[in-house]
Amino acid sequence: MAHLQLTALAGGAGDEMEEVALLGSYDVEAGPVGAAEGEGDEEAGMRRVQVRVAGMTCSACTGAVEAALSARRGVRRAAVSLLQNRAHVVFDPALAKDEDIVEAIEDAGFEAEILPDSTVSQPKSQKTLSGQFRIGGMTCAACVNSVEGILEKLPGVKRAVVALATSLGEVEYDPSAISKDEIVQAIEDAGFDAALLQSSEQDKVLLGVTGLHTEGDVDVLHDILKKIEGLRQFGVHFGNSEVEIVFDPEVVGLRQIVDTIEMESNDRLKAHVQNPYLRAASNDAQEASKTLHLLRSSLLLSIPVFFIRMVCPHIPLISSFLGMHLGPFRIGDLLKWILVSMVQFVVGKRFYVAAYRALRHGSTNMDVLVVIGTTASYVYSVCALLYGAFTGFHPPIYFETSAMIITFVLFGKYLEVLAKGKTSDAIKKLVELAPATALLLLKDKEGKYSGEKEIDASLVQPGDALKVLPGSKVPADGVVIWGTSHVNESMVTGESVPISKEVSSPVIGGTMNLHGVLHIQATKVGSGTVLSQIISLVETAQMSKAPIQKFADYVASIFVPIVITLSLLTFLAWFLCGWLGAYPNSWSAESSNCFVFSLMFSISVVVIACPCALGLATPTAVMVATGVGANHGVLVKGGDALERAQNVKYVIFDKTGTLTQGKATVTTAKIFSGMDLGDFLTLVASAEASSEHPLAKAILDYAFHFHFFGKLPSAKDSIKKRREKILSQWLLEATDFSALPGKGIQCWINGKKILTWS
């Protein structure tokens, strides 16, 4: 008798998937929603939005944005991430609007944009919707009282008011306890006609539209959108071929809006949901491209200035040409003046704009230091040039100083932009786990399935019946309504052994269907899926601030004024020392006088000082750590947890079944008869080669590496290619193969009946 021992590296595949409290709503600073007593009540009715903030360069900028938001009436909490160029704001919609948030940030000197696809509402259990229903068939006050009485007795209904004259009813209800369809059904059961007109629930989304080539196409789109019931407002951006819409999901679905645009335009216009993460990546790429363009321009202008000052004087022919006079000015000085002026005021315009915005609102940042240092050098050089032109005495000029400073700062900015883009790689990888499309099962008028249609996965709605083919990903969280298969859920649960799925089994969006066709009914879509909650948790963790970062932000906020003060003190100290003769005159001989000598020291202090490293170090570490952890299946709830982790001495795991490599592996094969182990593995592998069972691949891999490598497999492409090449040379032919679901397989090999069981 032969015995084959299979180990899934701490399996636990049979465990039921638990509701992961880890994935619950999480506030940036306060921790899990409802973690503290009464906290949920405080956040009830609050609106949360994410705002893209452009122009921030250091922690002083984030402090200025947070201060501006916190001072705005109605804002409960604001957290700003420098690396993500994003602000997370929680505010009372009764006291403030989205426009107020944008205005507060712009008043602080930065550009702001509400992310249309990142508006976050409170969980449904913590909010009340107000729905307006059309009620037909009412003839008197008794009918009104009857309807109101029925509605107020429904679970989850807070208040109900019915108007006979307008045949309308307004109902406040908890959507987690009762749905709008159940309210309509209750009214109809009482003998009246009912339909939902609109609700206070609304959603905002950005659609990309292909086919917008002319103003006429825009007019057609306007006419189509105006006719869609439940569409609150919309704005068409012709240049980007995008339309931003606010709609009531209780009245109209996003898929219905997309389908209506295509049908009403006779397929001339096609709409698709813009992926927020791809859009963010596009913004990062545009920012990197813009910064690279400025850097190239600055280099092209600064390098000639450097050569004119440092190299050309040692080349007699060029030196004599540059020394020639054009009017009262030397040609070399004029060339440097022209080139540096372009660097200072064209390439460096962004620094002046940012510094002006900061100073206008009483704050300081790195741009202020850059402007002060470069402008001082430039203005002195211009004054020295004019003085020499009209007096004949030519003091030294330092045009190249301001040009090279701007070039080096832009180089640092470019590296910073690249670093910001790389820190969000973990989010991008998580997003890529979700499939881009889904197969929607269509129904006819009788409710029978009549076909299927491929749609964008973002258009899946709760209650949709979806078809999941073997080898494809599950598009949304749901329940199996037909078929059997095995699904690899290791990306969420860590279970290495694929989970068997049958009717009524739950499935998780983004997991892989290994074999067998499944029909599932979507229960959670969009931000409600487990994968979306994981992404949200990682984003929240990356935006959170560690306690040490708060101290760093405070230091950065006062850093610039301190640097400017030190720069002035440096100038005064060297100037007084030179005026009093405290150092030899030869020290300042090159600079012609102690004023210029002292000014160079002062400019050096301003230029060298940079609070960016101080403000970027901690958030970069938090983003990288949470990103790397997410890639390895470890979810970290922010910088506070990371900072405290250094004090951890022992880690205790209460469930080893999720500490796996995500795949099944054979660890031991034992023979309890005189049969050779190699012959036994050949027979078993030959039989399992025709099986679709997830453990069959593990057995086949083990047998292959036993024969050809004598050790467990390594994930090398060369080994994989070699394996595929020689598989047919050692496997035996299996006949009369049949699989017994839940038991194993049976077949005949060389006249021997082979039975395996799982």
Side-chain angles (χ1 to χ4, degrees), residues 540-542 544-547 622 626 636-645:
T540 302
Q542 290 186 343
S544 66
K545 290 185 178 180
V622 170
T626 53
V636 182
K637 283 193 172 182
D640 187 25
L642 286 173
E643 186 172 331
R644 292 201 307 265

Side-chain angles (χ1 to χ4, degrees), residues 724-738:
E724 294 174 350
K725 180 179 179 181
I726 63 178
L727 263 181
S728 58
Q729 300 177 5
W730 66 283
L731 290 180
L732 305 175
E733 182 180 0
T735 58
D736 296 332
F737 178 90
S738 63

Side-chain angles (χ1 to χ4, degrees), residues 639-678:
D640 187 25
L642 286 173
E643 186 172 331
R644 292 201 307 265
Q646 63 178 332
N647 300 320
V648 173
K649 295 182 178 179
Y650 306 99
V651 179
I652 301 174
F653 297 96
D654 65 343
K655 185 182 180 185
T656 58
T658 56
L659 303 176
T660 72
Q661 294 181 354
K663 64 179 181 178
T665 305
V666 178
T667 58
T668 309
K670 294 182 179 180
I671 302 295
F672 296 96
S673 66
M675 188 177 186
D676 181 72
L677 179 59

